[in-house]
Amino acid sequence: MQLYNSATRRKEEFIPNHPDIVKMYTCGPTVYHFAHIGNLRSYIMEDVLEKYLRYSGYNVKRVMNITDVGHLSSDADTGEDKMLKGAKREHKTVMEIAKFYTDAFFEDCRKLNIKRPDVVEPATNCIAEYIHLIERLIEKGYAYEAGGNIYFDTAKLDKYYIFNDHKEEDLAVGVREGVEADENKRNKADFVLWFTKSKFEDQELKWDSPWGTGYPGWHIECSGISMKHLGEDLDIHCGGIDNAFPHHTNEIAQSEAYLGHPWCKYWFHVLHLNTNSGKMSKSKGEFLTVSLLEEKGYDPLVYRLFCLQSHYRKSLVFSFENLDNAATTYNKLISRIAALRPEAGEAFDEAAAQPLREKFHAALGNDLNTSLGVTVLYDVLKSETNATTKLALLGEFDTVLGLSLLPAAERARAEAERLAKAETQATVVTEGEANPEAEALALERIEARKAKNWARADELREALKALGFAVEDTREGAKLKRI
Ligand code: AMP
Ligand code: ZN
């Protein structure tokens, strides 16, 4: 597969470090609020990448952290602690907030067909690992203590900026209102590995360390968790583009300084979901969630399709109009699939399947061109082959795209059948009080009409008249009116 690598800034042939396993790491959510549909765009596209690798025959081990400590609102070392902010907002403890929003995140993932990673690790589970990493970094001369905190010394690296050409001035330390520049840092780009001099007097979660009671910085958690579960090398590291700097840049700095060799081969960054007023973000407070889309009547998989229709390396503008278009496309696609009727004894047509599979690989294997992948579904529907083959191929491609195509088509078919049956059902509605005798006659009359026994139907109409009822045939069934 050809995959764009943000570290080299070009598309490369994907070759895993070990032939038998692809090691994949994903920066998980900071669980101080619901995930917004922008966050979920990143997770949808990462999910497609993982599923495509599996579809291509690779074994994948994917690890995700849950950030429940250490993430400050600037992404660098300034601003409020996000978890603390969430806890204060809801008058709960940090751990209660973390549990609630972690569960909510995985519920959203379930609705969007995002597979749960093989390993999910909360940051607060791995304090010993971070302490070990930091101790080694200090021993190797890459980290220093100042003012009670432990910092990573970026001047010790030959190359710090990996994904961009940031200059020191670009680091907005001290620029934001109310945020003090950290006088302890030797270089502006240095970052905190361990806080002991907590800026937050009310910090709930603190642990003992060789440097005093405190808590880890955000960046160290991903290096620690990744190495704990995936060892000293990594094939693919994923995240939204805002993670590239400073988070991933700092992860590379500390991991490679610790290991003494290159760490991760491919960096996969998903561009942002924006609204007309800019990037969707949790901190802005106003954002869209999966539940909100559901409340407005959208199937979450319509949002997944909306994401698949554009390339992950382009920013995507969200609007309800665009989502409506995706809903129309989804519903049409599902009804076309629902109309496929395999015949008994039909065999899978390997010859017809081959070029369609190649087309699907050509799309997804080219830096995950999902929108082209979706068009292959139409190629399947249009192809000359039998319904059995079409359904099998659609199911196969859907193991990557995750649109629940076959179950949704099955539901659509069942619903259509239910409606058709309801239309032909013999129902009798009586005006006013029910009259069992008249209703029995009316039902018999419906049966007689179905059997085209008009003479009997007329007799029954007369019998009803004698009982004091006129009968009217409507789409909803027979209506009995009192004369
Ligand atoms: P957070 O919960 O803030 O740590 O973010 C979770 C994931 O969502 C990270 O990979 C972010 O890079 C990504 N992300 C944040 N905002 C957006 C957005 N507007 N569009 C796409 N991905 C985003
Ligand atoms: Zn991370």
Side-chain angles (χ1 to χ4, degrees):
M1 144 177 228
Q2 292 280 312
L3 194 62
Y4 182 85
N5 183 355
S6 329
T8 56
R9 283 170 239 189
R10 54 187 167 79
K11 264 198 240 177
E12 292 173 22
E13 183 61 28
F14 175 71
I15 304 165
N17 286 309
H18 310 272
D20 51 335
I21 188 95
V22 174
K23 299 187 197 179
M24 197 169 169
Y25 184 85
T26 298
C27 287
T30 309
V31 283
Y32 73 112
H33 218 319
F34 291 108
H36 57 64
I37 59 171
N39 300 128
L40 291 160
R41 178 193 192 197
S42 289
Y43 296 115
I44 288 170
M45 302 317 290
E46 294 163 6
D47 179 66
V48 177
L49 174 61
E50 176 187 345
K51 287 175 175 163
Y52 181 64
L53 289 169
R54 289 185 194 272
Y55 176 66
S56 303
Y58 291 109
N59 284 319
V60 180
K61 180 172 178 187
R62 177 147 171 229
V63 176
M64 181 192 274
N65 65 308
I66 297 291
T67 298
D68 53 3
V69 69
H71 193 172
L72 307 190
S73 55
S74 69
D75 276 4
D77 304 322
T78 56
E80 266 184 289
D81 179 303
K82 292 191 177 194
M83 292 303 298
L84 212 55
K85 190 172 153 186
K88 278 186 193 160
R89 185 187 62 228
E90 299 184 18
H91 309 289
K92 290 189 182 143
T93 65
V94 165
M95 280 334 236
E96 282 167 347
I97 289 284
K99 161 103 182 63
F100 179 82
Y101 288 112
T102 302
D103 291 348
F105 171 72
F106 285 113
E107 182 56 16
D108 286 346
C109 288
R110 191 188 59 73
K111 289 175 183 167
L112 289 164
N113 279 346
I114 297 171
K115 178 184 168 293
R116 189 182 170 96
D118 304 288
V119 178
V120 174
E121 183 83 277
T124 46
N125 268 3
C126 304
I127 303 298
E129 278 80 2
Y130 316 142
I131 292 178
H132 166 75
L133 285 179
I134 299 167
E135 279 180 321
R136 287 289 295 141
L137 289 171
I138 296 173
E139 273 167 37
K140 289 179 122 186
Y142 284 103
Y144 59 93
E145 184 170 351
N149 292 336
I150 308 296
Y151 294 87
F152 187 92
D153 188 349
T154 52
K156 290 275 166 19
L157 302 173
D158 295 337
K159 185 170 162 55
Y160 168 65
Y161 296 105
I162 304 289
F163 303 109
N164 48 17
D165 302 312
H166 276 276
K167 310 231 170 21
E168 270 201 9
E169 308 84 74
D170 291 348
L171 291 169
V173 176
V175 173
R176 293 160 39 123
E177 215 178 312
V179 173
E180 297 286 310
D182 187 341
E183 298 298 331
N184 297 317
K185 291 186 180 180
R186 290 184 190 161
N187 315 286
K188 271 191 182 159
D190 292 358
F191 54 93
V192 176
L193 297 166
W194 186 268
F195 289 96
T196 61
K197 279 283 172 294
S198 167
K199 294 192 293 292
F200 314 107
E201 297 306 319
D202 47 355
Q203 186 72 19
E204 277 177 40
L205 302 175
K206 295 182 200 177
W207 295 266
D208 286 337
S209 83
W211 319 285
T213 306
Y215 61 98
W218 173 39
H219 316 297
I220 197 73
E221 77 179 63
C222 288
S223 297
I225 292 173
S226 164
M227 286 184 210
K228 176 178 174 183
H229 294 287
L230 296 167
E232 295 198 345
D233 59 79
L234 202 54
D235 292 300
I236 308 177
H237 195 309
C238 316
I241 191 67
D242 59 319
N243 280 169
F245 183 83
H247 185 49
H248 292 162
T249 305
N250 292 348
E251 281 187 41
I252 295 171
Q254 67 208 3
S255 299
E256 298 196 348
Y258 167 83
L259 293 167
H261 59 71
W263 176 48
C264 177
K265 220 168 161 186
Y266 303 91
W267 288 84
F268 178 86
H269 287 126
V270 180
L271 271 281
H272 280 151
L273 180 82
N274 298 319
T275 57
N276 287 335
S277 51
K279 181 198 158 196
M280 191 172 287
S281 81
K282 284 187 219 178
S283 52
K284 280 193 200 160
E286 271 183 29
F287 53 78
L288 294 172
T289 59
V290 168
S291 318
L292 209 111
L293 295 187
E294 282 183 308
E295 274 166 34
K296 286 183 182 283
Y298 294 96
D299 180 337
L301 294 181
V302 164
Y303 178 65
R304 185 171 170 115
L305 176 64
F306 170 74
C307 291
L308 297 190
Q309 285 175 315
S310 79
H311 195 253
Y312 76 91
R313 275 197 300 117
K314 290 204 180 102
S315 49
L316 177 59
V317 177
F318 179 84
S319 72
F320 280 103
E321 200 185 337
N322 292 344
L323 195 65
D324 285 338
N325 291 337
T328 308
T329 306
Y330 187 69
N331 293 337
K332 278 190 186 159
L333 186 59
I334 296 302
S335 48
R336 283 183 68 178
I337 299 170
L340 292 173
R341 294 276 186 275
E343 281 170 24
E346 231 170 42
F348 183 78
D349 180 354
E350 197 57 54
Q354 200 48 34
L356 290 162
R357 281 187 177 132
E358 277 166 20
K359 243 182 160 172
F360 190 70
H361 274 296
L364 275 288
N366 180 10
D367 195 25
L368 221 62
N369 192 333
T370 47
S371 64
L372 208 56
V374 169
T375 66
V376 179
L377 301 176
Y378 293 96
D379 294 332
V380 172
L381 285 166
K382 277 184 284 186
S383 73
E384 291 296 323
T385 188
N386 60 34
T388 298
T389 308
K390 289 181 184 179
L391 285 168
L393 282 176
L394 292 165
E396 187 178 312
F397 299 158
D398 202 38
T399 61
V400 178
L401 301 176
L403 295 168
S404 289
L405 297 175
L406 301 190
E410 192 47 52
R411 274 198 307 277
R413 187 164 38 233
E415 179 62 11
E417 273 166 18
R418 197 186 61 76
L419 283 176
K421 213 165 143 202
E423 251 172 44
T424 55
Q425 233 164 24
T427 49
V428 178
V429 186
T430 313
E431 190 186 67
E433 205 183 316
N435 181 319
E437 193 187 346
E439 283 171 12
L441 290 176
L443 272 178
E444 200 187 330
R445 183 176 159 274
I446 290 172
E447 292 308 318
R449 281 165 63 88
K450 266 195 208 161
K452 298 193 172 21
N453 188 348
W454 310 118
R456 177 73 187 138
D458 285 346
E459 266 172 43
L460 288 159
R461 180 187 281 278
E462 288 308 312
L464 280 164
K465 209 172 181 180
L467 282 176
F469 289 97
V471 62
E472 191 185 318
D473 297 307
T474 73
R475 281 185 63 187
E476 286 80 42
K479 272 195 184 151
L480 292 179
K481 289 190 170 170
R482 284 171 207 280
I483 303 169

